[in-house]
Coordinates of all heavy atoms in Angstrom, one line a residue:
M1 N -40.7 12.0 20.0 CA -39.8 13.0 19.6 C -38.4 12.7 20.1 O -38.2 12.1 21.1 CB -40.3 14.3 20.3 CG -41.0 15.3 19.4 SD -41.4 16.8 20.2 CE -40.1 17.9 19.6
A2 N -37.5 13.1 19.2 CA -36.1 12.8 19.5 C -35.6 13.8 20.5 O -36.0 15.0 20.6 CB -35.3 13.0 18.2
K3 N -34.8 13.3 21.5 CA -34.3 14.1 22.6 C -32.9 14.7 22.3 O -32.2 15.2 23.1 CB -34.3 13.4 23.9 CG -35.7 13.1 24.4 CD -35.7 12.5 25.8 CE -37.1 12.3 26.3 NZ -37.1 11.6 27.6
H4 N -32.4 14.4 21.1 CA -31.1 14.9 20.7 C -31.2 15.7 19.4 O -32.2 15.5 18.7 CB -30.1 13.7 20.5 CG -30.7 12.7 19.5 ND1 -30.5 12.7 18.2 CD2 -31.3 11.5 19.8 CE1 -31.1 11.7 17.6 NE2 -31.6 11.0 18.6
P5 N -30.2 16.6 19.2 CA -30.3 17.4 18.0 C -30.4 16.6 16.7 O -29.5 15.6 16.5 CB -29.1 18.3 18.0 CG -28.2 17.7 19.1 CD -29.1 16.8 19.9
V6 N -31.3 16.9 15.8 CA -31.5 16.1 14.6 C -31.4 17.1 13.4 O -31.9 18.2 13.5 CB -32.9 15.5 14.6 CG1 -33.1 14.7 13.2 CG2 -33.1 14.6 15.7
P7 N -30.5 16.8 12.4 CA -30.4 17.7 11.3 C -31.7 17.9 10.6 O -32.5 17.0 10.4 CB -29.3 17.0 10.4 CG -29.3 15.6 10.9 CD -29.6 15.6 12.3
K8 N -31.9 19.3 10.2 CA -33.2 19.6 9.7 C -33.3 19.2 8.2 O -34.4 18.8 7.8 CB -33.4 21.1 9.8 CG -34.8 21.7 9.7 CD -34.9 23.1 10.1 CE -36.2 23.5 10.3 NZ -36.4 25.0 10.7
Y9 N -32.2 19.4 7.6 CA -32.2 19.0 6.1 C -31.2 17.9 5.8 O -30.1 17.9 6.6 CB -31.9 20.3 5.2 CG -32.9 21.3 5.5 CD1 -32.5 22.5 6.2 CD2 -34.2 21.3 5.0 CE1 -33.4 23.5 6.5 CE2 -35.1 22.3 5.2 CZ -34.7 23.4 6.0 OH -35.6 24.4 6.2
R10 N -31.4 17.2 4.8 CA -30.4 16.2 4.4 C -29.2 16.9 3.7 O -29.4 18.0 3.1 CB -30.9 15.1 3.5 CG -31.4 15.7 2.1 CD -32.1 14.5 1.3 NE -31.1 13.6 0.8 CZ -30.6 13.5 -0.4 NH1 -30.9 14.5 -1.3 NH2 -29.7 12.6 -0.7
K11 N -28.0 16.3 3.8 CA -26.8 16.9 3.2 C -26.8 16.6 1.7 O -27.3 15.6 1.2 CB -25.5 16.1 3.7 CG -25.2 16.6 5.1 CD -24.2 17.7 5.2 CE -24.2 18.3 6.5 NZ -23.6 17.6 7.6
S12 N -26.4 17.6 0.9 CA -26.4 17.5 -0.5 C -25.3 16.5 -1.1 O -24.4 16.1 -0.2 CB -26.2 18.8 -1.2 OG -24.9 19.3 -0.8
K13 N -25.5 16.1 -2.3 CA -24.5 15.2 -2.9 C -23.1 15.7 -2.7 O -22.1 15.0 -2.5 CB -24.8 14.8 -4.3 CG -25.8 13.7 -4.5 CD -25.9 13.5 -6.0 CE -27.0 12.4 -6.2 NZ -27.2 12.2 -7.7
S14 N -22.9 17.0 -3.1 CA -21.6 17.6 -3.2 C -21.0 17.7 -1.7 O -19.8 17.4 -1.6 CB -21.6 19.0 -3.8 OG -22.4 19.9 -2.9
K15 N -21.8 18.0 -0.7 CA -21.3 18.1 0.6 C -20.8 16.7 1.1 O -19.8 16.5 1.7 CB -22.4 18.6 1.6 CG -22.7 20.0 1.4 CD -21.6 20.9 2.0 CE -22.0 22.4 1.8 NZ -20.8 23.3 2.1
S16 N -21.6 15.7 0.8 CA -21.2 14.3 1.1 C -19.9 13.9 0.4 O -19.0 13.3 1.0 CB -22.3 13.3 0.8 OG -23.5 13.6 1.5
S17 N -19.8 14.2 -0.9 CA -18.6 13.9 -1.7 C -17.4 14.6 -1.2 O -16.3 14.0 -1.2 CB -18.8 14.0 -3.2 OG -18.6 15.4 -3.5
I18 N -17.5 15.8 -0.8 CA -16.4 16.6 -0.3 C -15.9 15.9 1.1 O -14.7 15.7 1.3 CB -16.8 18.1 0.0 CG1 -16.9 18.8 -1.3 CG2 -15.8 18.8 0.9 CD1 -17.7 20.1 -1.2
R19 N -16.8 15.6 1.9 CA -16.5 14.9 3.2 C -15.8 13.6 2.9 O -14.8 13.2 3.5 CB -17.8 14.7 4.1 CG -17.5 14.1 5.4 CD -18.7 14.2 6.4 NE -20.0 14.2 5.7 CZ -20.6 13.0 5.4 NH1 -20.1 11.9 5.7 NH2 -21.8 13.1 4.8
H20 N -16.3 12.8 1.9 CA -15.8 11.6 1.7 C -14.4 11.7 1.0 O -13.5 10.8 1.4 CB -16.7 10.8 0.7 CG -16.2 9.4 0.3 ND1 -16.2 8.4 1.3 CD2 -15.6 8.9 -0.8 CE1 -15.6 7.4 0.6 NE2 -15.3 7.7 -0.6
S21 N -14.2 12.6 0.2 CA -12.9 12.9 -0.4 C -11.8 13.2 0.6 O -10.6 12.7 0.5 CB -12.9 14.0 -1.5 OG -13.0 15.2 -0.8
V22 N -12.1 14.0 1.6 CA -11.2 14.4 2.7 C -10.8 13.1 3.5 O -9.7 12.8 3.7 CB -11.8 15.4 3.6 CG1 -11.0 15.6 4.9 CG2 -11.9 16.7 2.9
W23 N -11.9 12.3 3.7 CA -11.6 11.0 4.4 C -10.7 10.1 3.7 O -9.8 9.4 4.2 CB -13.0 10.3 4.7 CG -12.9 9.0 5.4 CD1 -12.7 8.8 6.7 CD2 -12.9 7.7 4.8 NE1 -12.7 7.5 7.0 CE2 -12.8 6.8 5.8 CE3 -13.1 7.3 3.5 CZ2 -12.8 5.4 5.6 CZ3 -13.1 5.9 3.3 CH2 -12.9 5.0 4.3
E24 N -11.0 10.0 2.3 CA -10.2 9.1 1.4 C -8.7 9.6 1.4 O -7.8 8.8 1.4 CB -10.8 9.1 0.0 CG -10.7 7.9 -0.7 CD -11.5 7.8 -2.0 OE1 -11.6 8.9 -2.6 OE2 -12.2 6.8 -2.2
N25 N -8.6 10.9 1.3 CA -7.2 11.4 1.2 C -6.4 11.1 2.5 O -5.3 10.8 2.5 CB -7.4 13.0 0.9 CG -6.1 13.5 0.3 OD1 -5.3 12.8 -0.2 ND2 -5.9 14.8 0.4
N26 N -7.1 11.3 3.6 CA -6.4 11.1 4.9 C -6.0 9.6 5.0 O -5.0 9.3 5.5 CB -7.3 11.5 6.1 CG -7.4 12.9 6.2 OD1 -6.6 13.7 5.7 ND2 -8.5 13.3 7.0
L27 N -6.9 8.7 4.5 CA -6.6 7.3 4.5 C -5.4 7.0 3.6 O -4.5 6.2 4.0 CB -7.8 6.5 4.1 CG -7.8 5.0 4.4 CD1 -8.0 4.8 5.8 CD2 -8.9 4.3 3.6
A28 N -5.3 7.6 2.5 CA -4.1 7.3 1.6 C -2.9 7.9 2.3 O -1.8 7.2 2.3 CB -4.4 8.1 0.3
N29 N -2.9 9.0 2.9 CA -1.7 9.6 3.6 C -1.3 8.7 4.7 O -0.1 8.6 5.0 CB -2.0 11.0 4.1 CG -2.0 12.0 3.0 OD1 -1.4 11.8 1.9 ND2 -2.7 13.1 3.1
Y30 N -2.3 8.1 5.4 CA -2.0 7.2 6.5 C -1.1 6.0 6.0 O -0.1 5.7 6.7 CB -3.3 6.7 7.1 CG -3.1 5.6 8.2 CD1 -2.7 5.9 9.5 CD2 -3.3 4.3 7.8 CE1 -2.5 4.9 10.4 CE2 -3.1 3.3 8.7 CZ -2.7 3.6 10.0 OH -2.6 2.6 11.0
W31 N -1.5 5.4 4.9 CA -0.7 4.3 4.5 C 0.6 4.7 3.9 O 1.5 3.9 4.0 CB -1.6 3.5 3.5 CG -2.6 2.6 4.1 CD1 -4.0 2.9 4.1 CD2 -2.4 1.6 5.0 NE1 -4.6 1.9 4.9 CE2 -3.7 1.1 5.4 CE3 -1.2 0.9 5.4 CZ2 -3.8 0.0 6.3 CZ3 -1.3 -0.2 6.3 CH2 -2.7 -0.6 6.7
I32 N 0.7 5.8 3.2 CA 2.0 6.3 2.7 C 2.9 6.5 3.8 O 4.1 6.2 3.7 CB 1.7 7.6 1.9 CG1 1.0 7.3 0.5 CG2 3.0 8.3 1.6 CD1 0.4 8.5 -0.2
N33 N 2.4 7.1 5.0 CA 3.4 7.4 6.1 C 3.7 6.1 6.9 O 4.8 6.0 7.5 CB 2.7 8.4 7.0 CG 2.7 9.7 6.4 OD1 3.5 10.1 5.5 ND2 1.7 10.6 6.7
K34 N 2.7 5.1 6.9 CA 2.9 3.9 7.6 C 4.0 3.0 7.0 O 4.7 2.4 7.7 CB 1.5 3.1 7.7 CG 1.5 2.0 8.5 CD 1.0 2.3 9.9 CE 0.7 1.1 10.7 NZ 0.4 1.5 12.1
I35 N 3.9 2.9 5.6 CA 4.9 1.9 5.0 C 6.3 2.7 4.8 O 6.3 3.6 4.1 CB 4.4 1.4 3.6 CG1 3.1 0.6 3.9 CG2 5.4 0.6 2.9 CD1 2.3 0.4 2.6
K36 N 7.3 2.2 5.5 CA 8.6 2.8 5.4 C 9.4 2.0 4.4 O 9.6 0.7 4.7 CB 9.3 2.9 6.7 CG 8.5 3.7 7.8 CD 8.6 5.2 7.5 CE 7.8 6.0 8.6 NZ 7.7 7.3 8.3
L37 N 9.9 2.6 3.4 CA 10.8 1.8 2.5 C 12.2 2.0 2.8 O 12.6 3.1 3.0 CB 10.5 2.3 1.1 CG 9.1 1.9 0.5 CD1 8.9 2.6 -0.8 CD2 8.9 0.4 0.4
A38 N 12.9 0.9 2.8 CA 14.4 1.0 3.1 C 15.1 1.0 1.8 O 14.6 0.5 0.8 CB 14.9 -0.3 3.9
I39 N 16.3 1.5 1.8 CA 17.1 1.4 0.5 C 18.1 0.3 0.6 O 18.8 0.1 1.6 CB 17.9 2.8 0.4 CG1 16.9 3.9 0.3 CG2 18.9 2.7 -0.7 CD1 17.5 5.3 0.5
C40 N 18.1 -0.5 -0.5 CA 18.9 -1.7 -0.6 C 20.4 -1.2 -0.8 O 20.7 -0.4 -1.5 CB 18.5 -2.5 -1.9 SG 19.5 -4.0 -2.1
P41 N 21.3 -1.8 0.2 CA 22.7 -1.4 0.1 C 23.4 -2.0 -1.1 O 24.5 -1.4 -1.4 CB 23.2 -2.1 1.4 CG 22.3 -3.1 1.8 CD 21.0 -2.7 1.3
D42 N 22.9 -3.0 -1.8 CA 23.5 -3.6 -2.9 C 23.2 -2.8 -4.1 O 24.1 -2.5 -4.9 CB 23.2 -5.0 -3.0 CG 23.7 -5.9 -1.7 OD1 24.9 -5.8 -1.4 OD2 22.9 -6.4 -1.0
C43 N 21.9 -2.7 -4.4 CA 21.5 -2.0 -5.7 C 21.0 -0.6 -5.6 O 20.9 0.1 -6.5 CB 20.5 -2.9 -6.4 SG 18.9 -3.0 -5.6
G44 N 20.7 -0.2 -4.4 CA 20.1 1.2 -4.2 C 18.7 1.4 -4.4 O 18.2 2.5 -4.3
G45 N 18.0 0.3 -4.7 CA 16.6 0.3 -4.9 C 15.8 0.4 -3.7 O 16.3 0.1 -2.6
K46 N 14.6 0.8 -3.8 CA 13.7 0.8 -2.6 C 13.1 -0.5 -2.3 O 12.6 -1.2 -3.2 CB 12.6 1.8 -2.7 CG 13.0 3.3 -2.7 CD 11.9 4.2 -2.7 CE 12.4 5.6 -2.7 NZ 11.3 6.7 -2.9
T47 N 13.2 -1.0 -1.0 CA 12.6 -2.3 -0.7 C 11.9 -2.1 0.7 O 12.1 -1.2 1.4 CB 13.8 -3.4 -0.5 OG1 14.6 -2.9 0.5 CG2 14.5 -3.6 -1.8
L48 N 11.1 -3.2 1.0 CA 10.5 -3.2 2.3 C 11.6 -3.7 3.3 O 12.3 -4.5 2.9 CB 9.4 -4.2 2.3 CG 8.1 -3.8 1.7 CD1 7.1 -5.0 1.5 CD2 7.4 -2.7 2.4
S49 N 11.6 -3.1 4.5 CA 12.6 -3.4 5.4 C 12.4 -4.8 6.0 O 11.3 -5.3 6.0 CB 12.7 -2.4 6.6 OG 11.4 -2.4 7.2
H50 N 13.5 -5.5 6.2 CA 13.5 -7.0 6.7 C 12.9 -7.9 5.6 O 12.2 -8.9 6.0 CB 12.7 -7.1 8.0 CG 13.2 -6.2 9.1 ND1 14.4 -6.4 9.7 CD2 12.7 -5.1 9.6 CE1 14.6 -5.5 10.7 NE2 13.6 -4.6 10.6
N51 N 13.1 -7.5 4.3 CA 12.6 -8.4 3.3 C 13.7 -8.4 2.2 O 14.5 -7.5 2.1 CB 11.3 -7.8 2.7 CG 10.1 -8.1 3.5 OD1 9.5 -9.2 3.4 ND2 9.7 -7.2 4.4
V52 N 13.6 -9.5 1.4 CA 14.5 -9.7 0.3 C 14.2 -8.6 -0.8 O 13.0 -8.3 -1.1 CB 14.3 -11.1 -0.3 CG1 15.2 -11.3 -1.5 CG2 14.7 -12.1 0.7
C53 N 15.3 -8.0 -1.3 CA 15.1 -7.0 -2.4 C 14.5 -7.6 -3.6 O 15.1 -8.7 -4.0 CB 16.5 -6.4 -2.7 SG 16.5 -5.2 -4.0
Q54 N 13.5 -7.0 -4.2 CA 12.9 -7.7 -5.4 C 13.7 -7.4 -6.6 O 13.5 -8.1 -7.6 CB 11.5 -7.1 -5.5 CG 10.5 -7.5 -4.4 CD 10.3 -9.0 -4.3 OE1 10.0 -9.6 -5.4 NE2 10.4 -9.6 -3.1
K55 N 14.6 -6.4 -6.6 CA 15.4 -6.1 -7.8 C 16.6 -7.0 -8.0 O 16.9 -7.5 -9.1 CB 15.8 -4.7 -7.8 CG 14.7 -3.7 -8.1 CD 15.2 -2.2 -8.2 CE 14.0 -1.4 -8.6 NZ 14.5 0.1 -8.6
C56 N 17.4 -7.1 -6.9 CA 18.6 -7.9 -6.9 C 18.6 -9.3 -6.2 O 19.4 -10.1 -6.5 CB 19.8 -7.1 -6.4 SG 19.7 -6.6 -4.7
G57 N 17.5 -9.5 -5.4 CA 17.4 -10.8 -4.7 C 18.3 -11.0 -3.6 O 18.6 -12.1 -3.2
K58 N 18.8 -9.9 -3.0 CA 19.7 -10.0 -1.9 C 19.1 -9.6 -0.6 O 18.2 -8.7 -0.6 CB 21.0 -9.2 -2.2 CG 21.9 -9.8 -3.1 CD 23.2 -9.0 -3.3 CE 24.1 -9.6 -4.3 NZ 25.4 -8.8 -4.4
Y59 N 19.5 -10.2 0.5 CA 19.1 -9.7 1.9 C 20.3 -9.8 2.8 O 21.0 -10.8 2.9 CB 18.0 -10.7 2.4 CG 17.6 -10.3 3.8 CD1 16.9 -9.1 4.0 CD2 17.9 -11.1 4.9 CE1 16.4 -8.7 5.3 CE2 17.5 -10.7 6.2 CZ 16.8 -9.5 6.4 OH 16.4 -9.1 7.6
R60 N 20.7 -8.7 3.3 CA 21.8 -8.4 4.1 C 23.1 -9.0 3.5 O 24.0 -9.7 4.1 CB 21.7 -9.1 5.5 CG 20.5 -8.4 6.3 CD 20.3 -9.0 7.6 NE 21.4 -8.5 8.6 CZ 21.5 -8.9 9.9 NH1 20.7 -9.8 10.3 NH2 22.5 -8.5 10.5
G61 N 23.3 -8.7 2.2 CA 24.5 -9.0 1.4 C 24.4 -10.5 0.9 O 25.4 -10.8 0.2
K62 N 23.5 -11.3 1.3 CA 23.5 -12.7 0.8 C 22.5 -12.8 -0.4 O 21.4 -12.2 -0.3 CB 23.0 -13.6 2.0 CG 24.1 -13.9 2.9 CD 23.6 -14.9 4.0 CE 24.6 -15.1 5.1 NZ 24.0 -16.0 6.2
Q63 N 22.9 -13.6 -1.4 CA 22.0 -13.8 -2.5 C 21.0 -14.9 -2.1 O 21.3 -16.0 -1.9 CB 22.9 -14.3 -3.7 CG 22.1 -14.3 -4.9 CD 21.8 -12.9 -5.5 OE1 22.7 -12.0 -5.4 NE2 20.7 -12.6 -6.1
M64 N 19.7 -14.4 -2.0 CA 18.7 -15.3 -1.6 C 17.9 -15.8 -2.7 O 17.5 -17.0 -2.7 CB 17.7 -14.6 -0.6 CG 18.3 -14.1 0.7 SD 18.8 -15.5 1.7 CE 19.4 -14.8 3.2
I65 N 17.7 -15.1 -3.7 CA 16.9 -15.5 -4.9 C 17.8 -15.3 -6.2 O 18.4 -14.3 -6.3 CB 15.6 -14.6 -5.1 CG1 14.7 -14.7 -3.8 CG2 14.8 -15.1 -6.3 CD1 13.7 -13.6 -3.8
D66 N 17.8 -16.3 -7.0 CA 18.6 -16.3 -8.2 C 17.7 -15.6 -9.2 O 16.7 -16.0 -9.7 CB 19.0 -17.7 -8.7 CG 20.0 -17.6 -9.8 OD1 20.5 -16.5 -10.1 OD2 20.3 -18.7 -10.4
M67 N 18.1 -14.3 -9.5 CA 17.2 -13.5 -10.4 C 17.2 -13.9 -11.8 O 16.4 -13.7 -12.6 CB 17.6 -12.0 -10.2 CG 17.4 -11.5 -8.7 SD 15.9 -11.8 -8.0 CE 14.9 -10.4 -8.8
N68 N 18.4 -14.5 -12.2 CA 18.6 -14.9 -13.7 C 17.6 -16.1 -13.9 O 17.2 -16.3 -15.0 CB 20.0 -15.2 -14.0 CG 20.9 -14.0 -13.8 OD1 20.4 -12.9 -14.1 ND2 22.2 -14.2 -13.4
K69 N 17.5 -16.9 -12.9 CA 16.7 -18.2 -13.1 C 15.2 -17.8 -13.3 O 14.5 -18.5 -14.0 CB 16.8 -19.1 -11.9 CG 16.4 -20.5 -12.1 CD 16.8 -21.3 -10.8 CE 16.4 -22.7 -10.9 NZ 16.6 -23.5 -9.7
G70 N 14.8 -16.7 -12.6 CA 13.3 -16.4 -12.7 C 12.9 -15.9 -14.1 O 11.8 -15.9 -14.4
D71 N 13.8 -15.4 -14.9 CA 13.6 -14.9 -16.2 C 13.1 -16.0 -17.2 O 12.5 -15.8 -18.2 CB 14.6 -14.0 -16.8 CG 14.9 -12.8 -16.0 OD1 13.9 -12.3 -15.3 OD2 16.0 -12.2 -15.9
E72 N 13.7 -17.2 -17.0 CA 13.4 -18.3 -17.9 C 11.9 -18.7 -17.7 O 11.5 -19.0 -16.6 CB 14.3 -19.5 -17.5 CG 15.8 -19.2 -17.9 CD 16.7 -20.3 -17.3 OE1 16.1 -21.4 -16.9 OE2 17.9 -20.0 -17.3
K73 N 11.3 -18.8 -18.9 CA 10.0 -19.2 -18.9 C 9.8 -20.8 -18.9 O 10.7 -21.4 -19.6 CB 9.2 -18.6 -20.1 CG 9.0 -17.1 -20.0 CD 8.3 -16.6 -21.2 CE 8.1 -15.1 -21.1 NZ 7.6 -14.5 -22.3
I74 N 8.8 -21.2 -18.3 CA 8.5 -22.7 -18.3 C 7.9 -23.1 -19.6 O 6.8 -22.5 -20.0 CB 7.7 -23.1 -17.1 CG1 8.3 -22.8 -15.8 CG2 7.3 -24.6 -17.2 CD1 7.4 -22.7 -14.6
K75 N 8.6 -23.8 -20.5 CA 8.1 -24.2 -21.8 C 7.5 -25.6 -21.7 O 6.5 -25.8 -22.4 CB 9.3 -24.2 -22.7 CG 9.9 -22.8 -23.1 CD 11.0 -22.8 -23.9 CE 11.6 -21.4 -24.1 NZ 12.8 -21.4 -24.9
V76 N 8.1 -26.5 -21.0 CA 7.5 -27.9 -21.0 C 7.0 -28.2 -19.5 O 7.8 -28.0 -18.6 CB 8.5 -28.9 -21.4 CG1 7.9 -30.3 -21.3 CG2 9.0 -28.6 -22.8
V77 N 5.8 -28.5 -19.4 CA 5.3 -28.9 -18.1 C 5.2 -30.4 -17.9 O 4.6 -31.1 -18.7 CB 3.8 -28.3 -17.9 CG1 3.2 -28.7 -16.6 CG2 3.8 -26.7 -18.0
K78 N 5.9 -30.9 -16.9 CA 6.0 -32.3 -16.7 C 4.7 -32.7 -15.8 O 4.6 -32.2 -14.7 CB 7.2 -32.7 -15.9 CG 8.5 -32.5 -16.8 CD 9.8 -32.8 -16.0 CE 11.0 -32.5 -16.9 NZ 12.2 -32.6 -16.0
A79 N 3.9 -33.5 -16.4 CA 2.7 -33.9 -15.7 C 2.9 -35.3 -15.0 O 3.7 -36.1 -15.4 CB 1.5 -34.0 -16.7
Ligands
ZN101 ZN1 18.7 -4.7 -4.1

């Protein structure tokens, strides 16, 4: 015999799904609050702090990535 309290009946599907949805929602909110987005001073877009802006390619006023170059598609592959 078990010496600790044991549930008499199994939980229904809906009760389990309600519990899981609350857990899932809390996890989503955790990540939303965890990731802080900084505003790029050059273009005003949202970027990850301490990272190069993906829209304008600048970091602390310096051009790190040439954004015009990235648009050109590679047509000939040199093997
Ligand atoms: Zn930017």
